[in-house]
Amino acid sequence: QDRLWVWNYDASSGSPFDILPVDYVPGKWVHVTLVHGAGSLRAYRNGVQVGGTPSGATRQPTGGALTHLYLGGIINNTSRNWTFEGVLDEVSLWNVARTEAEVQADMFRTLAGSEPGLRAYYAMSDGSGVVLTDDGPADWNGALLDGMQGVPPNGGPAPWILSDAFSGTSSTPTPTITGPPSVSPTTTLTPTETSTPTATAIASSTPTPGQPGEFPTTGIQDAFNRPNGAIGAAWSGSVSSYAIASEHLDVNGNGSIFWNGTSFGADQEAFVTLSAVDAGAGSISLLLKSQANTTANSGVLRVMYLPATQVVQIWSYSSSQGWVQRGTNLSASLAAGDQLGAKAKADGSIEVYRNGALLGVRSATGWTFAASGGFVGLWMSNASNVVLDDFGGGSSGASPLPTASATATATPAGPTVEPTSTSTPTETIVVPTPTASSTPLPGSFPVTGTLDDFDRADGVIGSNWSGSVSAYAVAGHRLDVNANGSIQWNAGSFGADQEAFVTIAALDGGSGSVSLVLKSQSSTGSTDGALRVMFSPSSQLAQVWTLTAGQGWVQRGSNVTMAVASGDVLGARARADGMVEIFRNGNLVATRDASGWANAGAPGYVGLWMSSATNTLLDDFGGGTVTD
């Protein structure tokens, strides 16, 4: 009663049914994806993988079961009569095993019907009748049923209703506007720490409105200091999803609202205080440059904070372009009392702020309305436990960027590592690099070159590698993972400041872990001492671990939330002072402190370590000594 189930029947001995659960909340939309291929079954919830299991080729059950596709039920006879009590929309079937990035790109938009690999697409836009139109390439139309093969009818087939699956404000059976991902991952953490450090923000000085280079430069539009009830005539859009409660804005449902009194200029900003943050909320968004004051259908810029993954994303929408994410994710941890802010400039640059400090800049110059003015507002998704206050914004001058940045220190709430370690990890949240550069610059990543591009004939990985070499092979000019184990690049030991990186050509979301090894004290194994930056695809987390014979394995600092997809470059840098930096696609994600490790200041070898990752392919491994 509290799960949706993804399953495949492969008739294998011992486990013929491969089953994965997907959490859902009654009364709220959830996007579910089933991916079956390459010997595995994977389940995604709102674009984030929440489970994976080995699964063979699908077998047709015996006993005369029909080779039909059923949506919302299976009705073969009186005993095989299982129907879904709920609402369905936007069903698509593909003949390719889609990646997480591909799922996220399409899950909240209406498809064209001609996408590569698409076999059937049911947008469910008919609105009436008993035919379900296939909007894909094959015209596999369906029929709405009212009982079948001995199952008594109940008076009519499934009814058509108006859908609000995408934005909550749809007025047509299938919306013409979609929304960017509203991820809410379910993660399984490795219980290696007895407590999690609590980040304590170092607050910046309160900006004075109007001062050049500070944020905000505009005032509060609505402090919500009025009696409980409706939010008032100054707001439009999905106003029924919000209410005034105890002089705050209480979120009760999904949808966007707009401050409708004024359309602001091409240089504009918006901000809001998060009085209460729900860590499981889908998304909390600021809207800027909306081309209408009642809906986002005409075009809008969305600055979206995802509490579950602690990132900020920038999305733009126009009817001709659809939803487009502008630049990469920004790491951001927002707590109750923090202010989320954004500035959208006429030149297309978007600045994101936390408590008046600049987190990063992204560019939306390719967006149709980049140089336009528009309305500002808010958009909540699955955030019914969120409470907001002091919404503001307006036209702003094109002032220079602030130089302030947000920093944080961690105060451990007790022992934070296993008893075998005497070190005390200190968490440092680092502002990510706003843009990636193709030419290495001082402080950028990587600053070293590729050591092995694997562009050679299929077979063994070669004499430059040592360790568990039989667990890996060169296949199709890539490194194919066939078993568990670590391998080291034995051609040279690198300095006390060193880095390593690898491209994830194909990622198995059900893998145990994909790891970079740094400062290994041996070229043939890690038992003499090594630092391991480990990424877990199933939980979308990164961890830093160190090993020495005297200390054993010790996790350094807390887990790092990090989503990685096929094509991404996973990187790490270990410095002589013990600081370990984690990178994704050249952008700094987080820093952890391993200064208590016995080999923190030592040189060593770099390498790779895979665990239960036999469907993973790697490419372009590199690294070396860092001199910046």
Side-chain angles (χ1 to χ4, degrees):
Q1 296 293 316
D2 62 347
R3 300 288 191 276
L4 300 174
W5 296 94
V6 168
W7 64 280
N8 177 57
Y9 176 75
D10 63 3
S12 59
S13 176
S15 58
F17 294 95
D18 305 318
I19 305 173
L20 298 170
V22 179
D23 292 325
Y24 75 95
V25 177
K28 292 185 178 181
W29 284 99
V30 62
H31 185 279
V32 177
T33 305
L34 175 160
V35 178
H36 182 241
S40 72
L41 176 70
R42 303 194 299 276
Y44 294 80
R45 178 186 184 275
N46 291 338
V48 175
Q49 183 171 327
V50 293
T53 184
S55 185
T58 304
R59 292 283 298 274
Q60 179 66 24
T62 59
L66 299 176
T67 55
H68 290 169
L69 170 68
Y70 289 90
L71 304 179
I74 298 175
I75 309 175
N76 289 126
N77 51 49
T78 54
S79 63
R80 295 174 62 84
N81 176 15
W82 309 315
T83 53
F84 170 63
E85 297 182 65
V87 185
L88 298 174
D89 201 1
E90 297 288 325
V91 178
S92 59
L93 291 93
W94 308 73
N95 66 355
V96 293
R98 309 199 81 210
T99 66
E100 186 171 82
E102 290 171 331
V103 171
Q104 291 179 358
D106 289 335
M107 69 179 180
F108 284 129
R109 75 175 184 91
T110 301
L111 302 178
S114 57
E115 285 79 0
L118 182 67
R119 297 304 306 279
Y121 173 44
Y122 301 100
M124 300 189 178
S125 302
D126 299 82
S128 62
V130 294
V131 175
L132 176 61
T133 301
D134 178 10
D135 301 293
D139 294 328
W140 292 334
N141 294 339
L144 274 66
L145 303 179
D146 178 25
M148 181 181 177
Q149 297 192 5
V151 179
N154 63 1
W160 295 95
I161 66 169
L162 298 182
S163 171
D164 60 353
F166 288 159
S167 64
T169 59
S170 172
S171 59
T172 60
T174 296
T176 56
I177 178 173
T178 64
S182 177
V183 295
S184 181
T186 300
T187 59
T188 303
L189 305 182
T190 305
T192 56
E193 296 189 324
T194 57
S195 65
T196 302
T198 302
T200 304
I202 300 175
S204 60
S205 59
T206 304
T208 303
Q211 290 297 314
E214 296 180 339
F215 185 92
T217 61
T218 56
I220 295 173
Q221 298 287 358
D222 195 340
F224 308 109
N225 293 335
R226 51 188 180 274
N228 293 352
I231 60 175
W235 292 94
S236 51
S238 300
V239 293
S240 61
S241 294
Y242 302 80
I244 303 296
S246 301
E247 299 187 343
H248 290 78
L249 181 65
D250 190 17
V251 181
N252 299 318
N254 298 336
S256 55
I257 54 174
F258 305 85
W259 184 254
N260 60 34
T262 306
S263 175
F264 298 110
D267 288 305
Q268 61 177 237
E269 64 187 27
F271 57 90
V272 71
T273 298
L274 310 183
S275 297
V277 181
D278 176 13
S283 61
I284 301 168
S285 302
L286 292 169
L287 301 180
L288 298 99
K289 299 197 176 188
S290 176
Q291 299 305 292
N293 63 0
T294 57
T295 176
N297 290 28
S298 300
V300 74
L301 182 81
R302 186 175 182 182
V303 178
M304 183 170 65
Y305 173 62
L306 308 174
T309 52
Q310 298 204 329
V311 298
V312 173
Q313 299 174 339
I314 313 296
W315 293 81
S316 65
Y317 177 79
S318 68
S319 58
S320 60
Q321 296 172 314
W323 282 105
V324 178
Q325 183 176 359
R326 302 295 176 172
T328 56
N329 296 344
L330 281 168
S331 295
S333 177
L334 298 181
D338 284 345
Q339 181 194 79
L340 174 65
K343 184 178 292 185
K345 294 188 175 183
D347 63 3
S349 61
I350 314 299
E351 303 167 8
V352 181
Y353 295 85
R354 173 182 174 269
N355 297 332
L358 183 67
L359 291 179
V361 181
R362 296 295 182 261
S363 175
T365 53
W367 179 43
T368 305
F369 303 108
S372 301
F375 295 90
V376 296
L378 298 164
W379 190 340
M380 304 295 124
S381 177
N382 295 335
S384 55
N385 293 322
V386 170
V387 179
L388 305 172
D389 202 4
D390 294 342
F391 172 83
S395 299
S396 63
S399 55
L401 295 180
T403 57
S405 61
T407 60
T409 59
T411 304
T416 59
V417 296
E418 294 177 334
T420 54
S421 172
T422 59
S423 65
T424 301
T426 301
E427 179 181 9
T428 304
I429 300 175
V430 183
V431 179
T433 305
T435 56
S437 172
S438 59
T439 303
L441 299 172
S444 64
F445 186 93
V447 295
T448 56
T450 300
L451 295 171
D452 197 341
D453 58 13
F454 308 106
D455 289 338
R456 51 187 179 275
D458 291 359
V460 298
I461 61 175
S463 60
N464 283 328
W465 292 95
S466 53
S468 301
V469 292
S470 61
Y472 302 81
V474 175
H477 299 282
R478 290 172 173 174
L479 182 66
D480 188 15
V481 181
N482 299 318
N484 298 340
S486 63
I487 53 175
Q488 285 76 31
W489 182 257
N490 61 32
S493 174
F494 298 109
D497 286 302
Q498 60 177 240
E499 65 185 22
F501 58 90
V502 71
T503 298
I504 302 177
L507 180 66
D508 176 12
S511 298
S513 61
V514 177
S515 302
L516 291 167
V517 176
L518 297 97
K519 298 196 176 186
S520 175
Q521 299 304 292
S522 169
S523 64
T524 58
S526 62
T527 56
D528 292 336
L531 186 143
R532 185 175 179 184
V533 177
M534 182 171 66
F535 172 69
S536 171
S538 60
S539 58
Q540 300 278 290
L541 296 173
Q543 299 174 332
V544 177
W545 293 81
T546 61
L547 172 69
T548 59
Q551 294 174 312
W553 282 109
V554 177
Q555 183 177 357
R556 301 296 175 172
S558 58
N559 296 336
V560 177
T561 300
M562 187 169 72
V564 174
S566 297
D568 285 346
V569 178
L570 181 64
R573 183 176 288 158
R575 297 194 177 271
D577 61 3
M579 301 307 295
V580 182
E581 302 163 3
I582 303 173
F583 296 84
R584 173 181 174 271
N585 296 331
N587 290 318
L588 184 63
V589 177
T591 301
R592 294 296 182 261
D593 186 353
S595 57
W597 178 41
N599 303 117
Y605 296 88
V606 296
L608 298 164
W609 192 335
M610 304 294 123
S611 177
S612 300
T614 54
N615 293 321
T616 296
L617 292 174
L618 305 172
D619 202 0
D620 294 340
F621 172 82
T625 302
V626 176
T627 58
D628 66 319

